Amino acid sequence: MVFRTRRLAVASVAVAAATALVAGCATGSGGSTSGASGDTLTLWTHNAGNSAELDVVKKIIKDFNASQSKYKVELQAFPQSNYNDSVVAAASARKLPCLLDVDGPNVPNWAWGGYLSPMDVSGSEVPLSDQLPSTVGRYRDKVYAFGFTDVSLTFFARTSVLKKYGIRIPTMAKPWTKDEFDSALAELKKSGKFEYPLEMGTGSLGEWYPYAYSPQLQSFGGDLIDRDGYKSASGTLDGKDAVEWATWLRSLVTKGYLAKKSGVDPNKDFLAGKSAIHWDGSWNAAKNAAKLGDDLAIIPPVDFLHGPRIGGASWQWAMSSTCSNKAGAQAWLKFSRQTKYFVDYARATGTIPATDAAAEQVDGYQPGGEFSVFTRFAREYAVVRPVTPAYPYISTEFQKAVQDILAGADPKDALGQAAKDIDNNLKTNNHYAG
């Protein structure tokens, strides 16, 4: 994103996790345990390349180790590009660390596959009930993970540009309709000032595709899979509403509103005036506000008929099923659940604090703050990606379908093939029962 991949899973997560679990299936019971040497516990994180976020993790570990003498947590940080492959390899060898982070959409997959153990963090300073729902990773009514922050999709634009071309600035009370949005793009294209008036990260990779585009699909009335039992994608991913969405998406390219493949830094291009409206994430809000000041318009998602939608869930902390010292692991997890650490995470990452108490201490996210609207988006619009172990496979198939559609493939055929492949995967894995 500047699709900041540290916020969302990349393609290797989906491919590696799906491949490993299809091959190995649920292996959470029996066998050796690992992740601890006596009362010394290992913690793995994906953010070796992100010093600001890593510093928060180091601080929590240092504070925890100093707060008591029974347990000691030791850190091992990985670059995100290698992290999930390392987790998959360690899970296969039953040598996972006691503590690890996981991208929220993959929690059901890793829980089903036996990577994770349910956790009990009752008695923590911050109750789970205080968090944004999208920041708690649940599977089959058990809590497997929690995060300190979330992110929100939004449209960024310049107020001055919208006003210049007579385009209404939408609000949560009255978001753009599909017709309004299409008319705005037509007006901006007609102006001749923008080669492509809309930017939606079509040059990005991996998890950006379901994160960014499936909310629009859902607003049209479709979805990635029938969520009633998660037994089939056919009739949902390739149903009438989904095909209507895909046809509309393709029309953005054919009308010259959207590039088939955007540049490497879409947000930079937006700030440079190359695009007028940018479908992006809250992680770039502070940067954009610093550049554009009061001219920055933060715009809610379009209501394509079934209400505005955005994706929910980001990176979260979990405990491995093979941890030989689960009491120590849960002690660290409980200790980390202090408001001050929720605040530290949000400040370090420029993302939405997971609790109201933390938001009150983060500049811009206090009630009425310039970024507090993102918290409202997350509460009112967020839809978590399908809560099924099949999700990594669904993600990969959806990405391929969207890329094909943007490149000119027939929308019905592309979605139909994706739905068929997903259904075959579900049948092969006995619909991920057990």
Side-chain angles (χ1 to χ4, degrees):
M1 320 189 189
V2 162
F3 177 47
R4 279 166 77 174
T5 52
R6 64 184 179 84
R7 291 284 154 260
L8 306 164
V10 292
S12 63
V13 182
V15 175
T19 301
L21 293 185
V22 168
C25 250
T27 57
S29 59
S32 62
T33 57
S34 61
S37 177
D39 290 325
T40 298
L41 295 81
T42 303
L43 176 150
W44 282 9
T45 180
H46 74 286
N47 52 30
N50 177 5
S51 60
E53 189 169 353
L54 186 59
D55 284 347
V56 178
V57 180
K58 290 178 178 177
K59 178 180 179 182
I60 298 173
I61 292 174
K62 181 180 178 181
D63 291 353
F64 173 74
N65 289 344
S67 71
Q68 44 75 52
S69 58
K70 186 172 183 179
Y71 306 113
K72 181 180 179 182
V73 172
E74 293 184 345
L75 170 70
Q76 187 170 357
F78 295 77
Q80 183 171 325
S81 59
N82 300 329
Y83 178 73
N84 289 281
D85 289 343
S86 299
V87 170
V88 169
S92 298
R94 301 194 64 78
K95 292 183 186 252
L96 283 168
C98 271
L99 296 158
L100 68 165
D101 56 8
V102 52
D103 194 31
N106 290 323
V107 168
N109 183 279
W110 288 19
W112 171 84
Y115 291 24
L116 308 180
S117 178
M119 66 173 67
D120 177 9
V121 291
S122 58
S124 304
E125 177 184 306
V126 178
L128 288 169
S129 58
D130 283 2
Q131 292 194 217
L132 289 169
S134 59
T135 64
V136 179
R138 291 184 168 90
Y139 178 59
R140 293 187 173 177
D141 298 322
K142 295 180 180 179
V143 174
Y144 283 90
F146 67 84
F148 292 91
T149 64
D150 205 350
V151 289
S152 170
L153 285 162
T154 186
F155 285 110
F156 291 120
R158 287 171 171 81
T159 300
S160 58
V161 169
L162 299 182
K163 288 183 175 179
K164 179 177 180 179
Y165 297 105
I167 298 168
R168 182 180 69 85
I169 299 173
T171 63
M172 289 187 71
K174 191 176 180 182
W176 276 329
T177 63
K178 176 182 178 295
D179 288 345
E180 276 189 292
F181 188 48
D182 289 345
S183 295
L185 295 176
E187 192 67 28
L188 291 164
K189 180 68 176 179
K190 187 172 66 174
S191 74
K193 298 294 184 181
F194 310 97
E195 182 178 4
Y196 298 107
L198 177 63
E199 171 59 72
M200 292 207 301
T202 51
S204 298
L205 297 172
E207 189 62 16
W208 174 248
Y209 284 82
Y211 178 70
Y213 304 130
S214 66
Q216 296 175 344
L217 162 66
Q218 290 154 353
S219 186
F220 266 84
D223 207 340
L224 297 168
I225 189 172
D226 183 351
R227 298 196 185 214
D228 183 10
Y230 296 102
K231 298 293 186 183
S232 176
S234 295
T236 300
L237 179 56
D238 60 350
K240 176 179 177 294
D241 293 332
V243 172
E244 183 181 351
W245 160 77
T247 302
W248 169 81
L249 181 68
R250 176 59 193 166
S251 77
L252 299 178
V253 175
T254 58
K255 292 176 180 177
Y257 299 164
L258 177 72
K260 181 167 58 178
K261 186 175 182 180
S262 61
V264 297
D265 194 338
N267 193 68
K268 184 177 180 180
D269 290 343
F270 165 69
L271 291 177
K274 293 183 179 180
S275 58
I277 301 174
H278 184 198
W279 184 232
D280 195 20
S282 55
W283 53 86
N284 274 324
K287 179 192 296 184
N288 293 349
K291 174 77 172 179
L292 301 180
D294 292 341
D295 199 28
L296 177 67
I298 296 174
I299 295 172
V302 175
D303 181 355
F304 289 104
L305 188 59
H306 293 267
R309 296 287 183 266
I310 61 171
S314 188
W315 285 90
Q316 301 173 357
W317 287 102
M319 174 176 63
S320 73
S321 61
T322 53
C323 176
S324 60
N325 195 334
K326 288 187 171 65
Q330 293 195 134
W332 185 85
L333 291 166
K334 287 184 180 181
F335 179 87
S336 74
R337 296 184 54 76
Q338 299 181 50
T339 295
K340 63 182 179 181
Y341 298 131
F342 282 79
V343 172
D344 289 342
Y345 257 97
R347 287 175 176 168
T349 58
T351 51
I352 304 168
T355 70
D356 289 341
E360 290 175 358
Q361 300 179 47
V362 179
D363 288 346
Y365 284 93
Q366 302 97 332
E370 60 181 328
F371 306 134
S372 62
V373 67
F374 293 129
T375 305
R376 295 180 62 199
F377 287 0
R379 288 197 184 281
E380 298 186 30
Y381 301 151
V383 178
V384 297
R385 276 145 283 180
V387 186
T388 167
Y391 178 72
Y393 190 85
I394 293 170
S395 172
T396 302
E397 291 304 307
F398 184 70
Q399 177 189 342
K400 290 194 301 187
V402 173
Q403 288 176 320
D404 288 346
I405 291 164
L406 290 170
D410 179 77
K412 186 174 179 60
D413 290 346
L415 292 179
Q417 186 62 55
K420 179 180 178 181
D421 290 343
I422 291 167
D423 283 359
N424 286 339
N425 175 268
L426 291 166
K427 291 175 185 175
T428 298
N429 288 282
N430 192 28
H431 296 94
Y432 294 87

